[in-house]
Amino acid sequence: MSEINKKALLGYIALAFPLGFVAMPIYIFAPDFYASSYGLPLATLGIIIFFNRLIDAFQDPFFGWVSDRWPNLVAPFMLGALLVLAGGFLLLFFKSYTQPLLMFAILTFVITSAYSFLAINLNAMGATWAETDKDKIRVNSARETTSLMGLVLSLFLFAQMQQVDFDTYAFQSFAWTFVIVVSLCAFLFWSWHRQLPPRRQTASPKSASFKETLHRLSPSFRAFYVVYGFSMLASAIPAVLVLFFVRDVLNLEDWFPYLILLYFASGAISVPIWRTLAVRFGALKVWGWSMIMAIVVFVWAFFLSEGALISFAIICLGSGAAYGADMVMPPSLVAILAGRQMKQSNFAQYYSLVSFLGKMALAFATLLTFALLDLAAFAPDESNSQETLLFVSFLYAVLPCMLKVLALILIFRLQASPNAKDTKCAGSSSPPLSSSV
């Protein structure tokens, strides 16, 4: 019988709200603040963010190994990471630094590191807490919906801050709002965590190294990570190019925060639908369906021209709904696959690999698209030829769809593979992986 009631679920997912809230400001608000307040070049700030993301990606497996090796220390480590996250975010928006570039580099690295540690362990806790496949999907869906709600609130405040021209008071008020949100959500989360049975709070003290964990992955698990890598690369490319596309191709810069808000709000609203479908038909199959939806909707962005606000808003609505499945299905599949391997002591490492692949996809997408834009002589926020703008549209809309098609083909192959049937949940009457996942 499931022991996950609504009150307990609320306590667990509470921590996802501030994690969603803080994700966007680090990469959008903070660079703008340091550029406008200190006169720092955006290009320099972008380089710092890129290398921070690269380092952050490679330290994720280490975070996973530490968490699996010393599970009894995860809770106090998470508390410390929360304090670092809140304090770092507050210090990020001060306007009195004599070395602002150095402070920006240090604080963004500290914040992203704390964020990564919290996200990896929050995912792992949910996976070990939920026993059945149905509950795993339910827990992951609720967590990702809450994260998207935090992100939507952050974007809404971002849109409101535009009305005051991003002055220092607005940024500091935003930072204090985050501190209050963290405090309230941390209280709810720790109330939930303290009530966990000892068997839910701890895992085996023996943790394999990250290399050993990779070596022990089942064929189905390895295939999942390949699919996830291609899917994340397909999502990362438009994420890198969206501002260029909206501003330089569509000439809708004033609508940018509202369009992004629409995209993520659509994702949050769609999660319960994807969850229901996943419980009935399987997470892997539903993930494939969402990819088909994303391809069919998003490819039309290539044909848009200047001023196509309504058309692009519809694309944001549809592709955002597909994104809801991208948020829920992969972590649900990790929880299910890890449970089938009976390697629950390595849950944090499994999720650290998911985090690593997502960040590497974004880093590679940044390098690839910026290099191609440079070869095409694209000039951001300046006059460009129609051929150049068409190339931007191709990179933004067509290339990601091609990668999604590849990920979709790999999903079909995984569903048809004999390896998808090689394990069952121990101690239960769960169906084979191919039918349950």
Side-chain angles (χ1 to χ4, degrees):
M1 181 177 179
S2 173
E3 56 186 71
I4 299 179
N5 55 54
K6 292 182 178 180
K7 182 179 178 181
L9 186 61
L10 177 63
Y12 166 73
I13 65 177
L15 197 60
F17 190 87
L19 293 181
F21 188 99
V22 76
M24 193 70 72
I26 300 173
Y27 303 108
I28 293 182
F29 302 172
D32 185 84
F33 176 79
Y34 277 77
S36 59
S37 299
Y38 292 104
L40 299 177
L42 280 174
T44 304
L45 296 173
I47 292 173
I48 291 175
I49 290 176
F50 170 76
F51 280 105
N52 275 350
R53 292 286 290 187
L54 201 60
I55 297 171
D56 186 36
F58 280 99
Q59 70 182 1
D60 281 346
F62 173 73
F63 286 158
W65 178 81
V66 168
S67 301
D68 287 333
R69 180 64 182 86
W70 292 284
N72 291 328
L73 298 178
V74 167
F77 281 169
M78 289 182 73
L79 179 59
L82 269 176
L83 293 174
V84 170
L85 184 69
F89 194 76
L90 191 61
L91 292 174
L92 187 63
F93 294 107
F94 270 46
K95 199 179 178 181
S96 56
Y97 294 128
T98 57
Q99 298 291 333
L101 191 63
L102 178 62
M103 293 304 299
F104 177 82
I106 293 174
L107 289 172
T108 52
F109 174 73
V110 167
I111 292 169
T112 53
S113 298
Y115 173 92
S116 296
F117 185 84
L118 288 166
I120 289 169
N121 283 286
L122 183 64
N123 288 352
M125 283 182 174
T128 55
W129 181 39
E131 292 184 344
T132 67
D133 290 356
K134 180 178 179 180
D135 276 343
K136 291 179 191 298
I137 294 173
R138 181 187 175 203
V139 166
N140 281 282
S141 300
R143 184 188 63 240
E144 299 307 325
T145 301
T146 306
S147 177
L148 285 172
M149 289 171 61
L151 179 57
V152 167
L153 175 61
S154 177
L155 287 169
F156 173 78
L157 293 177
F158 171 73
Q160 298 306 306
M161 287 167 61
Q162 280 191 315
Q163 308 303 318
V164 293
D165 297 324
F166 300 105
D167 62 14
T168 304
Y169 175 76
F171 277 108
Q172 291 178 348
S173 299
F174 183 85
W176 277 110
T177 300
F178 175 72
V179 172
I180 295 172
V181 168
V182 166
S183 301
L184 294 175
C185 293
F187 173 77
L188 291 173
F189 176 79
W190 248 259
S191 297
W192 164 79
H193 188 270
R194 285 170 49 211
Q195 296 177 10
L196 285 181
R199 65 187 178 90
R200 285 283 188 261
Q201 293 187 23
T202 62
S204 171
K206 296 182 180 180
S207 175
S209 68
F210 189 69
K211 183 178 179 180
E212 291 172 332
T213 299
L214 290 178
H215 182 71
R216 295 175 183 176
L217 290 176
S218 69
S220 298
F221 222 151
R222 293 179 185 179
F224 159 77
Y225 281 124
V226 174
V227 173
Y228 181 76
F230 280 108
S231 179
M232 286 300 98
L233 182 58
S235 299
I237 290 174
V240 171
L241 297 177
V242 62
L243 178 58
F244 299 147
F245 183 77
V246 172
R247 181 187 61 201
D248 298 291
V249 177
L250 302 182
N251 195 23
L252 296 172
E253 183 176 8
D254 292 342
W255 289 94
F256 177 74
Y258 302 100
L259 291 167
I260 298 300
L261 181 62
L262 177 64
Y263 175 84
F264 285 112
S266 177
I269 294 171
S270 73
V271 166
I273 300 174
W274 293 119
R275 179 193 65 201
T276 302
L277 292 172
V279 169
R280 182 171 181 179
F281 299 104
L284 185 63
K285 183 180 292 185
V286 171
W287 192 23
W289 293 349
S290 73
M291 290 185 186
I292 295 174
M293 178 179 176
I295 294 166
V296 171
V297 172
F298 197 68
V299 72
W300 291 102
F302 175 73
F303 302 98
L304 299 184
S305 57
E306 183 176 340
L309 175 61
I310 301 300
S311 298
F312 189 63
I314 294 173
I315 290 174
C316 288
L317 194 65
S319 58
Y323 175 74
D326 257 345
M327 290 286 290
V328 174
M329 297 307 123
S332 298
L333 286 165
V334 171
I336 294 170
L337 286 165
R340 309 260 162 150
Q341 284 209 162
M342 296 305 295
K343 298 292 184 182
Q344 296 196 16
S345 61
N346 295 330
F347 259 124
Q349 292 189 59
Y350 296 141
Y351 281 105
S352 72
L353 183 54
V354 169
S355 180
F356 171 81
L357 289 173
K359 291 171 183 176
M360 288 304 297
L362 184 60
F364 182 74
T366 302
L367 286 177
L368 175 65
T369 55
F370 281 14
L372 292 174
L373 289 177
D374 186 60
L375 289 174
F378 172 73
D381 204 17
E382 294 184 16
S383 178
N384 292 277
S385 67
Q386 287 300 316
E387 290 78 9
T388 299
L389 294 179
L390 187 65
F391 184 66
V392 174
S393 297
F394 173 83
L395 291 180
Y396 176 76
V398 178
L399 182 58
C401 288
M402 294 168 63
L403 291 169
K404 279 289 186 183
V405 168
L406 179 57
L408 187 60
I409 292 172
L410 293 173
I411 281 186
F412 290 152
R413 290 188 61 184
L414 177 57
Q415 287 178 319
S417 172
N419 292 324
K421 304 176 182 178
D422 59 2
T423 55
K424 295 183 179 181
C425 282
S428 76
S429 58
S430 296
L433 183 60
S434 59
S435 59
S436 178
V437 178

